[in-house]
mmCIF file of all heavy atoms in Angstrom:
data_model
loop_
_atom_site.group_PDB
_atom_site.id
_atom_site.type_symbol
_atom_site.label_atom_id
_atom_site.label_comp_id
_atom_site.label_asym_id
_atom_site.label_seq_id
_atom_site.Cartn_x
_atom_site.Cartn_y
_atom_site.Cartn_z
ATOM 1 N N LEU A 596 5.460 6.105 -17.257
ATOM 2 C CA LEU A 596 5.586 7.420 -17.887
ATOM 3 C C LEU A 596 6.940 8.053 -17.615
ATOM 4 O O LEU A 596 7.463 8.796 -18.449
ATOM 5 C CB LEU A 596 4.462 8.340 -17.396
ATOM 6 C CG LEU A 596 3.114 8.127 -18.092
ATOM 7 C CD1 LEU A 596 1.983 8.698 -17.258
ATOM 8 C CD2 LEU A 596 3.133 8.745 -19.489
ATOM 9 N N ILE A 597 7.526 7.759 -16.458
ATOM 10 C CA ILE A 597 8.853 8.309 -16.166
ATOM 11 C C ILE A 597 9.906 7.655 -17.067
ATOM 12 O O ILE A 597 10.919 8.264 -17.400
ATOM 13 C CB ILE A 597 9.202 8.106 -14.676
ATOM 14 C CG1 ILE A 597 8.182 8.849 -13.798
ATOM 15 C CG2 ILE A 597 10.606 8.610 -14.372
ATOM 16 C CD1 ILE A 597 8.419 8.702 -12.312
ATOM 17 N N GLN A 598 9.632 6.428 -17.502
ATOM 18 C CA GLN A 598 10.539 5.716 -18.400
ATOM 19 C C GLN A 598 9.839 5.485 -19.740
ATOM 20 O O GLN A 598 9.810 4.384 -20.264
ATOM 21 C CB GLN A 598 10.951 4.383 -17.767
ATOM 22 C CG GLN A 598 11.746 4.539 -16.481
ATOM 23 C CD GLN A 598 12.045 3.201 -15.832
ATOM 24 O OE1 GLN A 598 11.152 2.408 -15.563
ATOM 25 N NE2 GLN A 598 13.311 2.960 -15.563
ATOM 26 N N PHE A 599 9.299 6.563 -20.283
ATOM 27 C CA PHE A 599 8.470 6.445 -21.487
ATOM 28 C C PHE A 599 9.233 5.936 -22.699
ATOM 29 O O PHE A 599 8.648 5.418 -23.644
ATOM 30 C CB PHE A 599 7.820 7.798 -21.810
ATOM 31 C CG PHE A 599 8.806 8.902 -22.104
ATOM 32 C CD1 PHE A 599 9.284 9.113 -23.386
ATOM 33 C CD2 PHE A 599 9.248 9.734 -21.087
ATOM 34 C CE1 PHE A 599 10.194 10.121 -23.656
ATOM 35 C CE2 PHE A 599 10.159 10.753 -21.350
ATOM 36 C CZ PHE A 599 10.636 10.951 -22.634
ATOM 37 N N LYS A 600 10.547 6.045 -22.695
ATOM 38 C CA LYS A 600 11.326 5.604 -23.851
ATOM 39 C C LYS A 600 11.615 4.105 -23.835
ATOM 40 O O LYS A 600 12.080 3.555 -24.828
ATOM 41 C CB LYS A 600 12.645 6.381 -23.918
ATOM 42 C CG LYS A 600 12.470 7.856 -24.260
ATOM 43 C CD LYS A 600 13.790 8.601 -24.225
ATOM 44 C CE LYS A 600 14.711 8.127 -25.335
ATOM 45 N NZ LYS A 600 15.972 8.904 -25.360
ATOM 46 N N ASP A 601 11.371 3.462 -22.712
ATOM 47 C CA ASP A 601 11.645 2.032 -22.612
ATOM 48 C C ASP A 601 10.588 1.269 -23.424
ATOM 49 O O ASP A 601 9.387 1.399 -23.171
ATOM 50 C CB ASP A 601 11.590 1.602 -21.147
ATOM 51 C CG ASP A 601 12.100 0.181 -20.941
ATOM 52 O OD1 ASP A 601 11.951 -0.645 -21.860
ATOM 53 O OD2 ASP A 601 12.645 -0.096 -19.864
ATOM 54 N N PRO A 602 10.999 0.478 -24.411
ATOM 55 C CA PRO A 602 10.029 -0.227 -25.270
ATOM 56 C C PRO A 602 9.002 -1.047 -24.501
ATOM 57 O O PRO A 602 7.843 -1.125 -24.908
ATOM 58 C CB PRO A 602 10.922 -1.123 -26.140
ATOM 59 C CG PRO A 602 12.231 -0.423 -26.176
ATOM 60 C CD PRO A 602 12.394 0.219 -24.828
ATOM 61 N N LYS A 603 9.403 -1.637 -23.395
ATOM 62 C CA LYS A 603 8.451 -2.494 -22.672
ATOM 63 C C LYS A 603 7.332 -1.687 -22.011
ATOM 64 O O LYS A 603 6.315 -2.245 -21.588
ATOM 65 C CB LYS A 603 9.173 -3.347 -21.632
ATOM 66 C CG LYS A 603 9.704 -2.621 -20.422
ATOM 67 C CD LYS A 603 10.303 -3.610 -19.429
ATOM 68 C CE LYS A 603 10.778 -2.941 -18.150
ATOM 69 N NZ LYS A 603 11.932 -2.052 -18.371
ATOM 70 N N ASN A 604 7.510 -0.369 -21.924
ATOM 71 C CA ASN A 604 6.493 0.481 -21.307
ATOM 72 C C ASN A 604 5.526 1.090 -22.316
ATOM 73 O O ASN A 604 4.634 1.856 -21.932
ATOM 74 C CB ASN A 604 7.164 1.615 -20.514
ATOM 75 C CG ASN A 604 7.868 1.113 -19.264
ATOM 76 O OD1 ASN A 604 7.496 0.081 -18.706
ATOM 77 N ND2 ASN A 604 8.887 1.836 -18.832
ATOM 78 N N TYR A 605 5.704 0.766 -23.592
ATOM 79 C CA TYR A 605 4.950 1.446 -24.646
ATOM 80 C C TYR A 605 3.438 1.395 -24.414
ATOM 81 O O TYR A 605 2.747 2.413 -24.445
ATOM 82 C CB TYR A 605 5.286 0.847 -26.017
ATOM 83 C CG TYR A 605 4.559 1.542 -27.151
ATOM 84 C CD1 TYR A 605 5.092 2.673 -27.741
ATOM 85 C CD2 TYR A 605 3.328 1.066 -27.613
ATOM 86 C CE1 TYR A 605 4.427 3.329 -28.773
ATOM 87 C CE2 TYR A 605 2.643 1.714 -28.632
ATOM 88 C CZ TYR A 605 3.208 2.842 -29.213
ATOM 89 O OH TYR A 605 2.537 3.489 -30.216
ATOM 90 N N GLU A 606 2.893 0.215 -24.195
ATOM 91 C CA GLU A 606 1.443 0.072 -24.077
ATOM 92 C C GLU A 606 0.904 0.816 -22.851
ATOM 93 O O GLU A 606 -0.175 1.412 -22.890
ATOM 94 C CB GLU A 606 1.053 -1.407 -24.019
ATOM 95 C CG GLU A 606 1.342 -2.181 -25.296
ATOM 96 C CD GLU A 606 0.545 -1.658 -26.496
ATOM 97 O OE1 GLU A 606 -0.483 -0.969 -26.281
ATOM 98 O OE2 GLU A 606 0.948 -1.935 -27.641
ATOM 99 N N LEU A 607 1.649 0.769 -21.747
ATOM 100 C CA LEU A 607 1.215 1.478 -20.543
ATOM 101 C C LEU A 607 1.210 2.987 -20.772
ATOM 102 O O LEU A 607 0.283 3.689 -20.361
ATOM 103 C CB LEU A 607 2.133 1.128 -19.367
ATOM 104 C CG LEU A 607 1.961 -0.265 -18.755
ATOM 105 C CD1 LEU A 607 3.105 -0.559 -17.793
ATOM 106 C CD2 LEU A 607 0.618 -0.381 -18.032
ATOM 107 N N VAL A 608 2.266 3.494 -21.418
ATOM 108 C CA VAL A 608 2.348 4.922 -21.695
ATOM 109 C C VAL A 608 1.221 5.341 -22.629
ATOM 110 O O VAL A 608 0.539 6.357 -22.407
ATOM 111 C CB VAL A 608 3.721 5.284 -22.299
ATOM 112 C CG1 VAL A 608 3.752 6.742 -22.753
ATOM 113 C CG2 VAL A 608 4.835 5.021 -21.287
ATOM 114 N N LYS A 609 0.999 4.553 -23.672
ATOM 115 C CA LYS A 609 -0.058 4.878 -24.628
ATOM 116 C C LYS A 609 -1.421 4.896 -23.948
ATOM 117 O O LYS A 609 -2.240 5.809 -24.170
ATOM 118 C CB LYS A 609 -0.052 3.865 -25.769
ATOM 119 C CG LYS A 609 -1.083 4.157 -26.864
ATOM 120 C CD LYS A 609 -0.987 3.141 -27.998
ATOM 121 C CE LYS A 609 -2.021 3.427 -29.083
ATOM 122 N NZ LYS A 609 -1.945 2.431 -30.185
ATOM 123 N N GLU A 610 -1.674 3.914 -23.105
ATOM 124 C CA GLU A 610 -2.953 3.856 -22.399
ATOM 125 C C GLU A 610 -3.147 5.077 -21.510
ATOM 126 O O GLU A 610 -4.231 5.672 -21.476
ATOM 127 C CB GLU A 610 -3.026 2.582 -21.560
ATOM 128 C CG GLU A 610 -4.347 2.422 -20.818
ATOM 129 C CD GLU A 610 -4.397 1.169 -19.956
ATOM 130 O OE1 GLU A 610 -3.436 0.372 -19.997
ATOM 131 O OE2 GLU A 610 -5.401 1.007 -19.238
ATOM 132 N N ALA A 611 -2.097 5.471 -20.796
ATOM 133 C CA ALA A 611 -2.181 6.638 -19.920
ATOM 134 C C ALA A 611 -2.482 7.904 -20.714
ATOM 135 O O ALA A 611 -3.324 8.725 -20.318
ATOM 136 C CB ALA A 611 -0.883 6.799 -19.136
ATOM 137 N N LEU A 612 -1.809 8.060 -21.843
ATOM 138 C CA LEU A 612 -2.032 9.240 -22.679
ATOM 139 C C LEU A 612 -3.460 9.262 -23.225
ATOM 140 O O LEU A 612 -4.099 10.313 -23.290
ATOM 141 C CB LEU A 612 -1.022 9.265 -23.826
ATOM 142 C CG LEU A 612 0.453 9.438 -23.416
ATOM 143 C CD1 LEU A 612 1.361 9.348 -24.637
ATOM 144 C CD2 LEU A 612 0.666 10.767 -22.696
ATOM 145 N N GLN A 613 -3.965 8.105 -23.604
ATOM 146 C CA GLN A 613 -5.328 8.041 -24.126
ATOM 147 C C GLN A 613 -6.353 8.336 -23.035
ATOM 148 O O GLN A 613 -7.345 9.032 -23.267
ATOM 149 C CB GLN A 613 -5.584 6.670 -24.751
ATOM 150 C CG GLN A 613 -4.815 6.446 -26.056
ATOM 151 C CD GLN A 613 -4.954 5.027 -26.580
ATOM 152 O OE1 GLN A 613 -5.173 4.090 -25.807
ATOM 153 N NE2 GLN A 613 -4.806 4.858 -27.894
ATOM 154 N N ILE A 614 -6.131 7.824 -21.834
ATOM 155 C CA ILE A 614 -7.053 8.081 -20.721
ATOM 156 C C ILE A 614 -7.152 9.571 -20.434
ATOM 157 O O ILE A 614 -8.236 10.104 -20.174
ATOM 158 C CB ILE A 614 -6.595 7.315 -19.459
ATOM 159 C CG1 ILE A 614 -6.828 5.816 -19.630
ATOM 160 C CG2 ILE A 614 -7.326 7.824 -18.219
ATOM 161 C CD1 ILE A 614 -6.243 4.977 -18.520
ATOM 162 N N GLU A 615 -6.010 10.257 -20.521
ATOM 163 C CA GLU A 615 -5.979 11.681 -20.210
ATOM 164 C C GLU A 615 -6.234 12.567 -21.423
ATOM 165 O O GLU A 615 -6.143 13.800 -21.327
ATOM 166 C CB GLU A 615 -4.615 12.041 -19.579
ATOM 167 C CG GLU A 615 -4.427 11.488 -18.190
ATOM 168 C CD GLU A 615 -5.455 12.034 -17.202
ATOM 169 O OE1 GLU A 615 -5.691 13.257 -17.205
ATOM 170 O OE2 GLU A 615 -6.025 11.237 -16.436
ATOM 171 N N GLY A 616 -6.552 11.946 -22.567
ATOM 172 C CA GLY A 616 -6.815 12.740 -23.761
ATOM 173 C C GLY A 616 -5.594 13.470 -24.282
ATOM 174 O O GLY A 616 -5.706 14.569 -24.841
ATOM 175 N N ARG A 617 -4.431 12.851 -24.116
ATOM 176 C CA ARG A 617 -3.186 13.482 -24.552
ATOM 177 C C ARG A 617 -2.574 12.737 -25.741
ATOM 178 O O ARG A 617 -1.365 12.509 -25.811
ATOM 179 C CB ARG A 617 -2.177 13.539 -23.391
ATOM 180 C CG ARG A 617 -2.593 14.415 -22.233
ATOM 181 C CD ARG A 617 -2.816 15.876 -22.666
ATOM 182 N NE ARG A 617 -1.701 16.430 -23.403
ATOM 183 C CZ ARG A 617 -0.630 17.007 -22.827
ATOM 184 N NH1 ARG A 617 -0.565 17.086 -21.506
ATOM 185 N NH2 ARG A 617 0.341 17.501 -23.569
ATOM 186 N N GLU A 618 -3.426 12.407 -26.717
ATOM 187 C CA GLU A 618 -2.914 11.753 -27.927
ATOM 188 C C GLU A 618 -1.977 12.665 -28.706
ATOM 189 O O GLU A 618 -1.241 12.207 -29.590
ATOM 190 C CB GLU A 618 -4.071 11.317 -28.829
ATOM 191 C CG GLU A 618 -4.857 10.119 -28.316
ATOM 192 C CD GLU A 618 -6.017 10.513 -27.424
ATOM 193 O OE1 GLU A 618 -6.035 11.673 -26.954
ATOM 194 O OE2 GLU A 618 -6.899 9.662 -27.176
ATOM 195 N N ASP A 619 -1.974 13.991 -28.360
ATOM 196 C CA ASP A 619 -1.036 14.907 -29.018
ATOM 197 C C ASP A 619 0.408 14.555 -28.723
ATOM 198 O O ASP A 619 1.324 15.001 -29.423
ATOM 199 C CB ASP A 619 -1.308 16.351 -28.578
ATOM 200 C CG ASP A 619 -1.184 16.514 -27.067
ATOM 201 O OD1 ASP A 619 -1.944 15.847 -26.327
ATOM 202 O OD2 ASP A 619 -0.337 17.314 -26.623
ATOM 203 N N LEU A 620 0.622 13.737 -27.689
ATOM 204 C CA LEU A 620 1.988 13.319 -27.337
ATOM 205 C C LEU A 620 2.361 11.986 -27.973
ATOM 206 O O LEU A 620 3.406 11.416 -27.657
ATOM 207 C CB LEU A 620 2.124 13.234 -25.811
ATOM 208 C CG LEU A 620 1.936 14.557 -25.053
ATOM 209 C CD1 LEU A 620 2.060 14.337 -23.557
ATOM 210 C CD2 LEU A 620 2.939 15.603 -25.522
ATOM 211 N N ILE A 621 1.496 11.477 -28.850
ATOM 212 C CA ILE A 621 1.792 10.262 -29.611
ATOM 213 C C ILE A 621 2.072 10.685 -31.047
ATOM 214 O O ILE A 621 1.177 11.169 -31.752
ATOM 215 C CB ILE A 621 0.620 9.264 -29.576
ATOM 216 C CG1 ILE A 621 0.269 8.901 -28.132
ATOM 217 C CG2 ILE A 621 0.967 8.011 -30.367
ATOM 218 C CD1 ILE A 621 -0.982 8.040 -28.006
ATOM 219 N N GLY A 622 3.295 10.563 -31.472
ATOM 220 C CA GLY A 622 3.657 11.009 -32.816
ATOM 221 C C GLY A 622 5.159 11.118 -32.954
ATOM 222 O O GLY A 622 5.915 10.583 -32.131
ATOM 223 N N PHE A 623 5.591 11.844 -33.983
ATOM 224 C CA PHE A 623 7.027 11.957 -34.251
ATOM 225 C C PHE A 623 7.564 13.367 -33.996
ATOM 226 O O PHE A 623 8.708 13.670 -34.291
ATOM 227 C CB PHE A 623 7.330 11.554 -35.701
ATOM 228 C CG PHE A 623 7.000 10.117 -35.987
ATOM 229 C CD1 PHE A 623 5.988 9.781 -36.869
ATOM 230 C CD2 PHE A 623 7.687 9.099 -35.349
ATOM 231 C CE1 PHE A 623 5.682 8.451 -37.132
ATOM 232 C CE2 PHE A 623 7.387 7.767 -35.605
ATOM 233 C CZ PHE A 623 6.380 7.438 -36.498
ATOM 234 N N GLY A 624 6.739 14.248 -33.450
ATOM 235 C CA GLY A 624 7.191 15.601 -33.175
ATOM 236 C C GLY A 624 8.173 15.636 -32.011
ATOM 237 O O GLY A 624 8.271 14.705 -31.211
#
Side-chain angles (χ1 to χ4, degrees):
L596 280 160
I597 299 179
Q598 296 176 305
F599 62 88
K600 291 176 67 177
D601 190 329
K603 71 176 183 293
N604 290 334
Y605 182 86
E606 294 297 340
L607 286 169
V608 173
K609 183 178 180 181
E610 182 182 355
L612 295 176
Q613 290 173 333
I614 289 172
E615 290 298 314
R617 295 301 308 274
E618 287 90 344
D619 59 299
L620 297 179
I621 303 173
F623 297 114

